[in-house]
Amino acid sequence: MALIEIRGLSTVFGPHPQAALEKVRAGMDKPGLLATTGHVLALDRIELDIEGGEIFVIMGLSGSGKSTLVRHINRLIDPTEGTVRIAGEDVTALPIPALIALRRRRLAMVFQRFGLHAHRSVLDNVAYGLEIRGVPRAQRENEARAWIERVGLAGVETQYPAQLSGGMQQRVGLARALCAGTDIILMDEAFSALDPLIRSQLQGELLALQATLGKTVVFITHDLDEALRIGNRIAILKDGALVQVGTPEDILLRPADDYVAAFVRDVNRARALRLHNALAPWPQTHPLPALARAVDVDAPIESVLPRLVGRSTPIALRKDGRIVGCVDVDAVSALLAPQG
Amino acid sequence: MEIFPDWRTPLRKGANASIDWLIINFGDQFEAFANSLLGVLLLIERVLRGAPPWAILLVTALLALAVSRRWRFALGASAGMWLVGALGQWDQAMQTLALVLVSVGVSVLLGLPLGIWCARSPWVRRLVSPVLDLMQTIPSFVYLIPAAMLFGLGKVPAILATVIYAAPPLVRLTELGISQVSREAMEAGRAFGATRWQLLTGVQIPLSLPSIMQGINQTTMMALAMVVIASMIGARGVGETVLLGLQRNDAGEGLVGGLVIVVLAIVLDRIMQAGGARLQRGGT
Ligand SMILES: Nc1ncnc2c1ncn2[C@@H]1O[C@H](COP(=O)(O)OP(=O)(O)OP(=O)(O)O)[C@@H](O)[C@H]1O
Ligand SMILES: [Mg+2]
């Protein structure tokens, strides 16, 4: 059983969502629904399993329903149809007190437009999740200070959100979510306003956190390189429907349709793909090289490119202390430049 | 041919009968309510009139200093109050101030929850909005007649008349402020597990405080504008001075009263504005 199970989730925005959804079931499409009834079909029969401890990335064009989808996980939005279960518990049917308890215990969120409280200092914003739960002031402020430092904002504790730059505000939102100490974190474009340096640093932090604390992260991003770096699995949304869910390599090597293929076209494939994708048996005609000269099969292709260029003999690959095969120039270039 | 039916007689008789009914059946309750309101008013009056004027001037200066952190501002506020004394209206001004404070207090007690309720429920808003219009447009004397019958002439109907006239902007601005709190600020509260009460006290009210403060300010100004009418039904204070000028054909006396009201309005307005600005320090 997956930690988060989404079943048959459909959501329509407008005054009469049920009636509009029936029109969709009768065959009307999203633009048609908008044109004739003014209702927006934001999500259409989503089926999704998110495992505990994974970083699950959601991608898709603007307006494809990413933010709407994650808002169902903590039920900021009620679906028109379908269910969301967390550890087997149906979130969509929880009574309000139980829902509040669940949000406090398990769910934190980073908002696309930050959602900071203008009347609270940075420190009080970050400590908010603990404050709501009644954690004593001294304790929650200590905790908050540690997270403020961790996101690189030490020194601005007493300032107010309006005094900070966009990237700093985004990090306050990030620290607020982390400070709540929940095991699930929903991150809606949590790194979008950051400069490349801090961004890559925080991606590293996130990976470390997930590795040490086993957090489950649902991460929305527009940046495919980011998705490939941090995502264990990636889901791609189009007009409110899921078109593909898979590992980064699935998405790159086996795109489900042209939409996904177009999506992944500009990715740095040499960095995203690992050598085992080009693995071939070691040719019988050559003697086996020394193990020390072999490269790990899980290394990115990028790491052998300099050695591979202008070389006719293959490079040996190793796994678990023995040589398992090789890669050569032809296999690698086929991977890096698909469809000719 | 008569095209107008006679609705006047039944309306008049019906209204009078219901007031009689109220007096007969709930006279004691109205009196108890009036007495408790009167008790609060008298307490504040006793403090303001009993304190030596220099103490009031000092408190005014300190208050102004606390909200503005500017010496000249504090001095100006204090000088305004001193002018009131120099115009020979000190005691009357203190009575008026007490009346205004209690009226604003009652307005906040009623108007704030009502404004919040309006922001939460479109139904309530649809119901309350025309009533607020009515409260501001209907001539005060119309409700002063039954109020005087229920509570007797004097300070209590004066407070009620003031509240009816002055509370609507507070209700409106509270509702406006709360409905303007951004969706993401609210969602952030909900996402971290805030209860409705925590959302109200920790997000909605603080974020709409500038608007609420503006409402309280307007209510105060309108309460001051009512003091002459309040005096007509027996409240003491600066309004009486104006009234006296009117009755005795003494334009100078009227001018003195008018000037004092204006000075009180300016001092209160500036202190509240500065206080409001201080409250929103970091906010936008
Ligand atoms: N509260 C709302 N009321 C009406 N329509 C909404 C609402 N929220 C979202 N929508 C609509 O639902 C669709 C999906 O919106 P959503 O915000 O989920 O997109 P997104 O994938 O997060 O886009 P972006 O990348 O721009 O953030 C859009 O067509 C949008 O207009
Ligand atoms: Mg979005």
Side-chain angles (χ1 to χ4, degrees), chain A residues 61-68 70-71 112-113 188-189 220 222, chain B residues 184:
Chain A
L61 297 180
S62 193
S64 56
K66 306 179 295 294
S67 298
T68 306
V70 292
R71 276 178 167 74
Q112 184 169 5
R113 281 185 293 266
D188 194 351
E189 306 199 18
I220 295 176
H222 277 287
Chain B
E184 293 228 345

Side-chain angles (χ1 to χ4, degrees), chain A residues 71 74-76 100 103-104 107-109 111 113-115 117-120 128-129 132 160 162 176-177 180, chain B residues 182-196 198-199 201-203 206-207 281-284:
Chain A
R71 276 178 167 74
N74 55 2
R75 206 172 127 193
L76 290 179
I100 286 174
R103 285 170 176 162
R104 291 181 180 187
L107 294 157
M109 182 160 177
F111 288 84
R113 281 185 293 266
F114 317 146
H117 291 154
H119 63 290
R120 288 174 205 275
Y128 182 69
I132 286 292
Y160 285 82
R176 175 174 67 181
Chain B
S182 79
R183 194 170 72 104
E184 293 228 345
M186 286 295 286
E187 281 188 328
R190 291 168 60 210
F192 285 93
T195 58
R196 279 168 66 109
Q198 284 173 326
L199 280 176
T201 56
V203 182
L207 283 176
R281 285 168 302 184
T284 39

Side-chain angles (χ1 to χ4, degrees), chain A residues 1-335:
Chain A
M1 188 181 70
L3 180 63
I4 302 172
E5 294 175 330
I6 299 176
R7 292 288 173 271
L9 195 74
S10 297
T11 293
V12 175
F13 287 114
H16 307 292
Q18 285 295 351
L21 196 59
E22 270 156 33
K23 288 213 168 69
V24 174
R25 295 291 176 262
M28 195 177 271
D29 63 351
K30 183 174 172 166
L33 186 73
L34 185 61
T36 57
T37 68
H39 284 67
V40 178
L41 177 63
L43 291 176
D44 190 11
R45 282 165 291 184
I46 302 287
E47 304 278 335
L48 209 54
D49 284 308
I50 298 173
E51 303 292 336
E54 77 174 330
I55 297 186
F56 190 90
V57 174
I58 299 173
M59 299 197 68
L61 297 180
S62 193
S64 56
K66 306 179 295 294
S67 298
T68 306
L69 178 56
V70 292
R71 276 178 167 74
H72 282 89
I73 297 176
N74 55 2
R75 206 172 127 193
L76 290 179
I77 299 176
D78 282 303
T80 311
E81 203 176 88
T83 57
V84 175
R85 288 175 187 281
I86 295 181
E89 201 170 23
D90 186 354
V91 179
T92 47
L94 280 182
I96 297 300
L99 177 65
I100 286 174
L102 178 78
R103 285 170 176 162
R104 291 181 180 187
R105 203 174 64 239
R106 304 202 68 163
L107 294 157
M109 182 160 177
V110 183
F111 288 84
Q112 184 169 5
R113 281 185 293 266
F114 317 146
L116 299 180
H117 291 154
H119 63 290
R120 288 174 205 275
S121 66
V122 168
L123 188 65
D124 290 342
N125 263 294
V126 174
Y128 182 69
L130 298 178
E131 181 188 328
I132 286 292
R133 278 185 246 163
V135 174
R137 176 173 287 276
Q139 188 185 337
R140 66 176 191 247
E141 288 190 348
N142 270 340
E143 195 94 342
R145 280 204 179 82
W147 284 110
I148 290 171
E149 188 157 350
R150 193 112 178 227
V151 298
L153 285 179
V156 304
E157 288 87 348
T158 57
Q159 292 199 280
Y160 285 82
Q163 296 169 285
L164 306 181
S165 74
M168 291 163 94
Q169 291 184 32
Q170 188 161 51
R171 280 183 280 163
V172 174
L174 184 65
R176 175 174 67 181
L178 293 170
C179 186
T182 57
D183 64 327
I184 302 172
I185 306 181
L186 311 173
M187 302 176 84
D188 194 351
E189 306 199 18
F191 296 161
S192 60
L194 304 179
D195 60 74
L197 208 68
I198 292 177
R199 187 176 184 139
S200 130
Q201 188 184 325
L202 286 179
Q203 288 168 354
E205 283 275 349
L206 189 66
L207 287 169
L209 260 176
Q210 187 230 13
T212 54
L213 301 177
K215 302 236 183 223
T216 307
V217 180
V218 182
F219 195 100
I220 295 176
T221 178
H222 277 287
D223 179 347
L224 195 60
D225 284 312
E226 179 167 83
L228 296 171
R229 173 167 180 207
I230 66 172
N232 299 110
R233 284 191 305 146
I234 299 174
I236 299 198
L237 270 178
K238 180 193 179 193
D239 292 338
L242 275 178
V243 286
Q244 188 169 8
V245 181
T247 62
E249 292 182 342
D250 282 338
I251 304 269
L252 277 186
L253 299 175
R254 292 170 288 279
D257 62 11
D258 291 347
Y259 177 80
V260 180
F263 225 94
V264 301
R265 184 156 24 218
D266 295 329
V267 170
N268 180 352
R269 299 170 74 93
R271 179 170 299 167
L273 293 176
R274 287 171 293 165
L275 285 166
H276 69 78
N277 291 297
L279 182 67
W282 184 259
Q284 302 292 328
T285 50
H286 291 61
L288 269 183
L291 188 61
R293 292 191 47 79
V295 181
D296 195 292
V297 285
D298 284 330
I301 290 178
E302 193 178 49
S303 64
V304 298
L305 279 184
R307 274 173 68 191
L308 212 52
V309 174
R311 169 188 178 126
S312 55
T313 51
I315 293 178
L317 297 183
R318 70 179 145 79
K319 183 180 183 178
D320 302 331
R322 48 183 204 88
I323 289 178
V324 289
C326 67
V327 289
D328 61 18
V329 177
D330 293 340
V332 165
S333 36
L335 264 187

Side-chain angles (χ1 to χ4, degrees), chain B residues 10-26:
Chain B
L11 180 66
R12 220 187 70 218
K13 292 212 164 126
N16 287 340
S18 30
I19 291 182
D20 288 345
W21 182 81
L22 278 176
I23 293 173
I24 292 167
N25 290 289
F26 295 102

Side-chain angles (χ1 to χ4, degrees), chain B residues 76-95:
Chain B
S78 202
M81 294 305 284
W82 175 83
L83 182 63
V84 167
L87 287 171
Q89 296 288 306
W90 185 264
D91 198 41
Q92 287 88 331
M94 289 306 116
Q95 286 177 323

